Amino acid sequence: MAKRTALVVGASGIVGQAIANLLVERGDWDVYGLARKPLALPGITPVAADLQDPASLEQALQGIKPTHIFLATWLRQPTEAENIRVNSAMVRNLLAATSPAGSVEHVALVTGLKHYLGPFEAYGKGKLPPTPFRESQGRLDVENFYYAQEDEVFAAAERDGFGWSVHRPHTIIGYAVGNAMNMGTTLAAYAALCRETGAPFRFPGSAAQWNGLTDMTDAHLLARQLLWASTTPAARNEAFNVVNGDVFRWSWMWERLAEYFGLQPAPFDGIVEPLEPKLAAAGDAWRALADKHGLREPDLFKLTNAWHTDADLGRPIEVLTDISKSRRLGFLDYVATDDSFFQLFDRLRAERLIP
């Protein structure tokens, strides 16, 4: 079989790094990693381009003929109207730039559970579909940049004749520095600060999250589903939820995380105390910690993104995801979520990003 050519868009992020590295490991893919500031990663040809600049894209992609595109990026904007305008244009610009080559066979788009929960401005409000969320539940009657991104993929697929898949993970656990949605690294830094300063390791979220069932998505499992859907005929032109396959309560998981860092978890009193203001005041403490332990990154705010962690842990509703659709079609991978956290923490230690 001839080598396939992958264009991974957002290759410096959690999902982008995971799928790009998976394809390199397989050995039967040529892999291009597109980002505004691409990382130097083994086996991945960096492509520097701005998705908001069609001329930049056209120049950067000249001579590249991708058979498969993996779209795993977005830019946060102050309003949902701006999210829609900016993020739909990025998808549209990319697929317009790759269209002339006529090489694309499949486009995989990563979105998430805001498909069911609504955008940030209306997150978890109004009439929501019942949990566990199923792909058949469709769209909410509200503007959402995920829907706009999907529509750009669908329109380009009809124009150019390629197949598509949409992937809806829950909160993603994986490795990336400076990522906009990075609960694992944020919690690791918070735990390290608690251990160093003696502050209580307190769950920052809501009683609904502490007591209710939830699930999450390992970045490597998501990468495997992206590859599966992109190369499996039965998965063509379908949307898939993707989570690890286990369920847990934060009342259990918090103790597991505390144990990893040698901490005693503080009792949960039901009061929401978001991480964002705590970490906003911890920059100097982290710099001192980094200097003491010889860490690579003394800037706490390049490692953590507490706003997204607070949004997930502070939700007033239970969130569970059904993954029967992809299982019926043959995608049977499973990861224990505590193992996802521990493997990430081990890597952060090995990379000298946490003590």
Side-chain angles (χ1 to χ4, degrees):
M1 181 183 294
K3 263 194 172 184
R4 293 163 167 155
T5 300
L7 178 63
V8 179
V9 183
S12 60
I14 291 176
V15 179
Q17 286 192 54
I19 183 61
N21 288 330
L22 174 62
L23 297 175
V24 170
E25 290 168 9
R26 286 180 58 91
D28 55 353
W29 289 77
D30 290 322
V31 183
Y32 292 85
L34 188 151
R36 283 177 294 173
K37 296 179 180 179
L39 301 175
L41 300 172
I44 301 168
T45 302
V47 179
D50 183 349
L51 293 177
Q52 298 184 80
D53 182 352
S56 161
L57 276 169
E58 183 177 351
Q59 182 177 2
L61 295 173
Q62 191 170 7
I64 300 174
K65 297 183 177 181
T67 57
H68 294 71
I69 296 174
F70 300 92
L71 271 163
T73 190
W74 70 291
L75 284 176
R76 187 187 182 197
Q77 304 299 313
T79 67
E80 192 60 19
E82 279 296 290
N83 273 330
I84 291 169
R85 183 185 67 80
V86 170
N87 289 286
S88 63
M90 292 196 304
V91 175
R92 184 167 62 253
N93 293 341
L94 174 77
L95 298 180
T98 55
S99 180
S103 59
V104 178
E105 299 173 11
H106 191 96
V107 172
L109 172 67
V110 179
T111 61
L113 294 195
K114 286 188 289 297
H115 182 95
Y116 308 105
L117 287 163
F120 290 117
E121 291 179 3
Y123 190 65
K125 300 175 182 176
K127 183 174 176 57
L128 299 175
T131 58
F133 296 135
R134 293 179 170 86
E135 298 90 342
S136 59
Q137 290 167 323
R139 296 179 174 184
L140 301 175
D141 186 20
V142 62
E143 294 297 311
N144 189 323
F145 83 88
Y146 283 172
Y147 306 161
Q149 286 182 310
E150 287 182 346
D151 288 342
E152 294 294 343
V153 172
F154 301 158
E158 186 170 345
R159 178 191 68 212
D160 294 340
F162 58 73
W164 55 265
S165 56
V166 175
H167 303 260
R168 299 170 185 156
H170 199 166
T171 303
I172 299 170
I173 303 300
Y175 178 87
V177 177
N179 190 267
M181 301 186 336
N182 196 336
M183 179 188 284
T185 303
T186 298
L187 292 180
Y190 172 53
L193 283 165
C194 289
R195 190 176 64 185
E196 191 75 14
T197 64
F201 185 56
R202 188 184 185 286
F203 181 71
S206 68
Q209 292 304 303
W210 180 256
N211 296 312
L213 289 172
T214 191
D215 47 28
M216 301 183 82
T217 305
D218 183 277
H220 300 291
L221 181 138
L222 172 54
R224 295 193 293 273
Q225 195 200 61
L226 286 164
L227 175 58
W228 166 80
S230 298
T231 56
T232 300
R236 182 183 173 97
N237 298 347
E238 296 287 351
F240 297 105
N241 296 333
V242 50
V243 290
N244 289 342
D246 65 343
V247 295
F248 64 91
R249 290 182 172 87
W250 276 107
S251 57
W252 175 82
M253 184 66 75
W254 201 249
E255 291 187 2
R256 299 279 287 152
L257 302 188
E259 182 180 359
Y260 180 95
F261 288 100
L263 294 167
Q264 184 67 34
F268 180 65
D269 59 9
I271 300 172
V272 178
E273 290 188 7
L275 279 180
E276 190 166 23
K278 291 183 179 181
L279 295 186
D284 290 342
W286 182 263
R287 194 171 297 276
L289 180 154
D291 182 63
K292 175 181 176 181
H293 295 280
L295 302 185
R296 282 173 43 207
E297 183 49 74
D299 187 346
L300 176 64
F301 310 111
K302 290 184 179 179
L303 289 177
T304 63
N305 293 89
W307 68 270
H308 189 263
T309 299
D310 286 339
D312 273 4
L313 298 184
R315 286 184 299 220
I317 55 175
E318 181 179 271
V319 176
L320 283 172
T321 316
D322 180 77
I323 52 175
S324 299
K325 183 177 179 181
S326 60
R327 282 174 165 168
R328 288 190 181 103
L329 293 175
F331 184 75
L332 304 177
D333 284 27
Y334 167 87
V335 177
T337 300
D338 49 342
D339 286 343
S340 292
F341 277 116
F342 299 154
Q343 288 164 13
L344 171 62
F345 299 159
D346 287 347
R347 182 171 179 185
L348 292 173
R349 281 182 168 169
E351 299 277 351
R352 292 189 298 110
L353 291 168
I354 62 171

